Structures are given as structure tokens and as C-alpha cells.
Amino acid sequence: MNILGKKYIYVAALLIFSQCSLAQTDKGRIDFETYNPPSSLVVPEHVLTKAKFPFIDVHNHQNNIPSQNLGNLLAEMDKLNMRVMVNLSGRGGDYLASAVKHASEATPNRLVIFTNISFQGIGTSGWIQTTTKQLEDDVKAGAKGLKIFKSLGFSVKDDKGTVVPVDDSRLDPIWQKCAQLGIPVLIHTADPKQFWDAPDSQNERWLELLTQPGRNRSAADGFSWEQLIEQQHNLVKKNPKTTFIIAHFGWYANDLQHLGKLLDSYPNMNVEFGAIIAELGRQPRQAKQFFDKYQDRILFGKDSWVPSEYTTYFRVLETEDEYFPYHKKYHAYWKMYGLGLSDEVLKKVYYKNALRIIPGIDKSQFPN
């Protein structure tokens, strides 16, 4: 055998050995999603499927209220002890009127509907007058508030094709009309800050961005995260007579000290914790202090309608359980702890604050 042949055999053997070695190594490895062993920790557990007090969910979405079987929905609400659901997907106009009518026929006092507005036509003559008139008509038809989706600041454009900022002065008559009508504005601005950060191993939500690539954000979407959040705060600041409910804790559930400063600065600002309960559950002492201090400014919100997930919210708010999982690993890979809120604070979060802020809810459904 010549030297070239010997070299070929040597290289081939080396490759085979390397592949076998790699295969042996891979057998001892496991991916992050798969590794999810049950905890061996022995501590008290209180898996709650029903809230301690009747509650109002101020952040929910039912997308077919006019023709939906509301009997089934009410039955699911009963199981959770949800006395009132606020549906934020009211759309407005004929759809809203039909939704209110169908809801009132099914139950006179348990389904509250917020209207939405169409931003198509911003900048054209008469658009703002038509929009505020429609808002007025929607409230007459039974709408109890206005929901602003995150498309404002992301994809809403004016008649020139320019992305419209959240605090655009052309929209000011809308917020002023809400104050005049006595209805709150529940506004969702931006997404978690991590969606704008590099999707790598230094990002806490890397798994989510890998499995949900459509959630990657950048300034090319309209504005940077910092710009969007600043626009929202400026909106609240320049409309002190309008009551705002900021969705998702304004994406500051991971920095409650800063959120507290915002609440101190803006008396017309309130928050709800839809989709951010995992942030609260990993800082139970800090979060409990926050709830105690700002107990009059926090409302219960869930966002997506998945009844089985409410148990996580009840457990974080009501119990002092330790080291239990969130229901979506890609949202939160960490374990959580219960805040053990007092009954006084729970009642405010569950229903009293919403009764004060949202008009027309039947208070007789709730304890004192």
C-alpha cells in the first residue's frame, strides 16, 4: 500500500472515530425544552381552580360575540368565579351594537364590551369628527370603554403613509372625548423589551423568539421600544382628565420600582397584569410590596381566553406556595412563588378597582 493510501485510511478512521465520539457526546445531551424534570421539593401546594372572590377580568377577547353561544362562555366563567368579563374586541358601529344586544339578552350584567376605533384615514378632512362621533354613538349603544391595540405606533399610518406615533396630537380629541363620556381607555403599547433585543443566549426570551419568530421586533417596525413607551407616557401625561388602564403593566413588571414612579407621576394611570403574571411570581416579596402600595391602581387582566391558565394567576395572587411552574415554558422558564395578598388587596384587584373605573357594572354582584 502506498503512502497516499495509508493517509486515506488514516483520515477515514479519524473521521469515523470523531463521529462516534460526537454521537456518544450527543447521547449525554438534552435540549432546553425537553429537560423539564418534576421537582423533588416537598412543600405545601394549593392549586386553585377558582378565585377566592368573584372577579372582573378587564382584559379579554371574544371575537364573535354577536353569534357566539354565550351560555357556554358563562358556564366557563362560573367555574372560575369570574363574575364579569370585559371583552375588548367590540370593533364599533353595527358590530358593537349587535354584540351588546346579544350579550344583554344572554345575561343582563356579566359581559361588558369596549369599543375600538378605525385609524384608517388619519390626516384626511373630517376624519377626527367622524371618529369621535362614532365613539359617542358606541357609548350610547352600550360600550363601557375604549381599547387601543398595539397597532398604534407599529402599523397605523396616516394618509401620507407615515407611521402614526401613540401620542400624535391629531388623536387628542379622541382622548378628550373619552374623558367627557366618562369611559376609560385601556391601551396596549409595544411588546416586551426583549423582543427588540438580540435573539441570543443573553436574552431571557430567546426560547420564545426562536419558537415564535414573528415576535422579533426592531425600530424598522415603526419606532424603537424606548420611543413607543415614551409616547405612551406622554399620552397619559398630556391627558390628565382621561382615565387610562395600561395593559401588561406597561411592560415594566420586571422593574416595579420604575413602574411605581410612573404611577406616582400620573394619577390617571392604572395598570393590569395580563400575560405578565410570571414576572410577578418570580419576585414575590417585591411584588407584594408593590401591590400593597398601589392596591388602588391595579386591575385583574388575563388577555388570552384559556380557562385552564387562570389557576396560575389565582395561585400567584392568593397563596404563599413556593417553586411552582408557569404554564408556558417559552414565556417563563423559571419557577414562581405566591404573593399571599391580603383579602383587602385581593378584593380591590379582583373587582373594586374595576367597579370604580369602568362605568355601568352592576355592583350588587360583588361583596362589600
Side-chain angles (χ1 to χ4, degrees):
M1 183 181 294
N2 58 33
I3 294 177
L4 184 61
K6 289 182 178 179
K7 285 184 176 179
Y8 174 80
I9 293 173
Y10 173 76
V11 171
L14 182 60
L15 286 172
I16 293 172
F17 175 79
S18 298
Q19 289 173 350
C20 290
S21 177
L22 183 61
Q24 290 295 324
T25 302
D26 285 346
K27 287 181 180 179
R29 298 175 68 86
I30 190 168
D31 67 85
F32 180 71
E33 285 186 271
T34 303
Y35 186 67
N36 194 27
S39 172
S40 62
L41 186 67
V42 181
V43 289
E45 295 184 357
H46 306 87
V47 180
L48 306 179
T49 58
K50 192 172 186 177
K52 185 174 185 179
F53 301 107
F55 71 100
I56 300 171
D57 183 351
V58 305
H59 190 153
N60 211 288
H61 297 283
Q62 301 293 320
N63 296 310
N64 198 25
I65 286 286
S67 58
Q68 187 173 340
N69 183 335
L70 298 181
N72 292 340
L73 177 63
L74 292 168
E76 291 296 321
M77 290 167 57
D78 287 339
K79 293 176 185 177
L80 300 169
N81 203 15
M82 183 192 299
R83 193 61 200 164
V84 172
M85 173 187 287
V86 178
N87 177 34
L88 301 179
S89 301
R91 302 187 193 179
D94 292 340
Y95 180 94
L96 178 124
S98 179
V100 170
K101 182 175 183 294
H102 185 51
S104 62
E105 289 173 349
T107 174
N109 52 13
R110 298 190 60 191
L111 296 173
V112 169
I113 301 176
F114 276 28
T115 189
N116 314 125
I117 57 176
S118 170
F119 289 107
Q120 186 174 0
I122 293 177
T124 59
S125 176
W127 176 83
I128 191 63
Q129 289 82 7
T130 300
T131 300
T132 52
K133 176 61 167 59
Q134 185 62 64
L135 179 59
E136 214 166 27
D137 291 344
D138 289 345
V139 171
K140 288 179 181 177
K144 303 301 183 184
L146 172 65
K147 165 66 192 304
I148 301 297
F149 294 96
K150 66 181 177 182
S151 55
L152 182 60
F154 268 143
S155 57
V156 171
K157 296 181 180 180
D158 64 13
D159 60 326
K160 302 294 192 298
T162 303
V163 176
V164 177
V166 178
D167 59 347
D168 193 303
S169 60
R170 291 173 292 183
L171 306 180
D172 285 350
I174 295 172
W175 323 125
Q176 294 163 8
K177 178 60 70 174
C178 288
Q180 178 188 332
L181 294 170
I183 61 170
V185 177
L186 196 153
I187 181 169
H188 174 176
T189 302
D191 276 324
K193 171 65 167 62
Q194 294 89 344
F195 288 7
W196 274 260
D197 295 337
D200 57 28
S201 61
Q202 300 304 301
N203 190 325
E204 277 190 319
R205 301 186 81 139
W206 188 28
L207 178 59
E208 182 170 2
L209 295 173
L210 284 173
T211 56
Q212 315 283 330
R215 297 182 182 181
N216 283 277
R217 302 293 186 193
S218 72
D221 292 313
F223 299 98
S224 69
W225 185 85
E226 290 81 5
Q227 288 173 320
L228 285 167
I229 297 302
E230 183 180 0
Q231 290 168 14
Q232 185 192 73
H233 298 164
N234 189 44
L235 173 66
V236 174
K237 180 180 180 180
K238 70 177 185 174
N239 292 280
K241 294 182 179 179
T242 306
T243 299
F244 290 93
I245 304 170
I246 306 301
H248 312 297
F249 261 41
W251 304 120
Y252 274 114
N254 62 331
D255 189 352
L256 294 178
Q257 290 186 343
H258 184 74
L259 182 57
K261 291 177 182 178
L262 293 172
L263 290 171
D264 291 340
S265 299
Y266 308 126
N268 59 326
M269 176 178 174
N270 305 275
V271 292
E272 61 85 19
F273 45 72
I276 56 87
I277 197 71
E279 294 287 0
L280 303 175
R282 66 170 170 171
Q283 49 174 331
R285 289 187 289 274
Q286 179 87 352
K288 184 173 184 178
Q289 291 173 10
F290 183 87
F291 272 73
D292 285 344
K293 183 174 182 180
Y294 298 102
Q295 58 188 266
D296 297 315
R297 313 281 291 281
I298 304 169
L299 292 83
F300 187 105
K302 166 69 172 63
D303 197 356
S304 61
W305 174 238
V306 185
S308 63
E309 294 177 354
Y310 280 82
T311 183
T312 304
Y313 287 71
F314 304 152
R315 195 173 183 186
V316 169
L317 298 173
E318 296 183 24
T319 80
E320 294 183 344
D321 283 3
E322 298 182 286
Y323 201 75
F324 55 91
Y326 186 62
H327 48 260
K328 292 178 183 175
K329 191 173 183 182
Y330 72 78
H331 261 182
Y333 58 85
W334 53 80
K335 303 298 184 182
M336 299 187 299
Y337 302 81
L339 311 187
L341 298 177
S342 68
D343 285 356
E344 179 184 6
V345 173
L346 279 174
K347 287 178 181 179
K348 289 183 178 181
V349 172
Y350 275 154
Y351 62 90
K352 285 188 175 182
N353 293 338
L355 290 175
R356 186 183 73 252
I357 292 171
I358 301 173
I361 300 179
D362 181 5
K363 296 181 181 180
S364 67
Q365 305 177 86
F366 301 90
N368 293 326

